[in-house]
Amino acid sequence: MSRSAVSNTISQEITQDHRELEEYYSKYQAATTEKEQDEWANQFRWELARHSTGEELVLYPAFEKYLGTEGKRIADEDRAEHLEAKKMLYDLERTNVTDPNFPTLFKKLVDDLRKHMKSEEENDLVKFEAAIPREESEALAKSFQRTKAFVPTRSHPSAPDKGGLFQNAAGLAAAPIDKLRDMFSSFPDQEKA
């Protein structure tokens, strides 16, 4: 999916990522060959890792800044959900697409993510957008997209998740290794993605 030239809000960017994850999972399910399944599973993994870290570095600190105590509560709950998703993603990354457990692991991850995405879209982001000016939301959306370009592309459940210097340093250290590993992984052709 391509991004619009019009400035999106942070909610629109997050929601669009969520729809892309759903699309990649659907394409994995519809794949008729092991190669296609592997490509779509890799595409899903790649996007989820970048999306999650982008939220942790950009969105959750903004929740805390603009929503105060409520924002901290939301961010902490979302970080806990992300940690569980990262653990599942980590296990999925280490399981071959031909393993009989792979579809079950993948489905469990997606089912849990769907609950998280629904709550984020219907509750967290609605509260957040009501508390900030549109210009700030657009600036956060741009920051989110820039951040996703530099973060790790694989799950690192033991990495810091509270933003700041430690998460930035850990991400910068892991990203080149992840991107090198990605070079040896198969992904869908750009026309398909």
Side-chain angles (χ1 to χ4, degrees):
M1 292 184 165
S2 63
R3 303 289 181 177
S4 165
V6 175
S7 293
N8 282 340
T9 64
I10 187 67
S11 294
Q12 290 168 324
E13 288 293 328
I14 299 291
T15 301
Q16 189 165 346
D17 272 9
H18 291 170
R19 297 299 78 78
E20 287 177 1
L21 288 166
E22 291 278 5
E23 178 186 351
Y24 299 152
Y25 182 65
S26 292
K27 288 185 176 184
Y28 158 80
Q29 290 181 301
T32 57
T33 68
E34 178 185 314
K35 181 180 183 302
E36 288 176 333
Q37 287 178 328
D38 190 48
E39 289 172 350
W40 288 111
N42 285 335
Q43 185 71 31
F44 179 95
R45 179 235 345 125
W46 181 81
E47 183 58 35
L48 179 58
R50 295 169 59 245
H51 172 84
S52 297
T53 305
E55 282 188 343
E56 291 164 7
L57 289 170
V58 176
L59 184 62
Y60 299 163
F63 280 175
E64 293 170 341
K65 178 180 177 181
Y66 291 102
L67 297 177
T69 305
E70 175 71 0
K72 180 164 180 10
R73 184 195 61 74
I74 292 169
D76 287 346
E77 285 178 10
D78 286 349
R79 284 185 186 106
E81 291 172 2
H82 273 203
L83 180 57
E84 291 308 309
K86 286 179 187 180
K87 289 176 183 176
M88 285 188 271
L89 185 59
Y90 185 82
D91 291 341
L92 193 70
E93 289 172 352
R94 276 137 192 79
T95 307
N96 192 296
V97 74
T98 60
D99 186 306
N101 294 317
F102 189 90
T104 304
L105 290 170
F106 202 176
K107 183 179 184 318
K108 169 77 170 118
L109 172 60
V110 170
D111 288 346
D112 286 0
L113 279 174
R114 284 179 174 143
K115 291 174 197 162
H116 169 80
M117 293 185 303
K118 180 176 172 48
S119 175
E120 197 168 64
E121 290 174 22
E122 294 178 0
N123 301 310
D124 306 349
L125 292 170
V126 172
K127 287 178 192 172
F128 185 62
E129 291 290 354
I132 62 171
R134 179 168 177 100
E135 297 77 26
E136 180 63 17
S137 184
E138 290 172 357
L140 287 166
K142 289 176 185 167
S143 179
F144 177 73
Q145 282 303 319
R146 280 192 310 269
T147 299
K148 284 177 44 181
F150 297 102
V151 297
T153 60
R154 295 184 182 256
S155 182
H156 298 280
S158 60
D161 66 354
K162 295 247 180 177
L165 182 61
F166 291 115
Q167 186 172 10
N168 290 339
L172 287 173
I177 296 165
D178 288 354
K179 290 175 196 281
L180 181 64
R181 289 177 63 199
D182 289 343
M183 290 173 58
F184 298 98
S185 298
S186 61
F187 288 89
D189 293 336
Q190 281 303 105
E191 299 81 49
K192 292 181 192 174

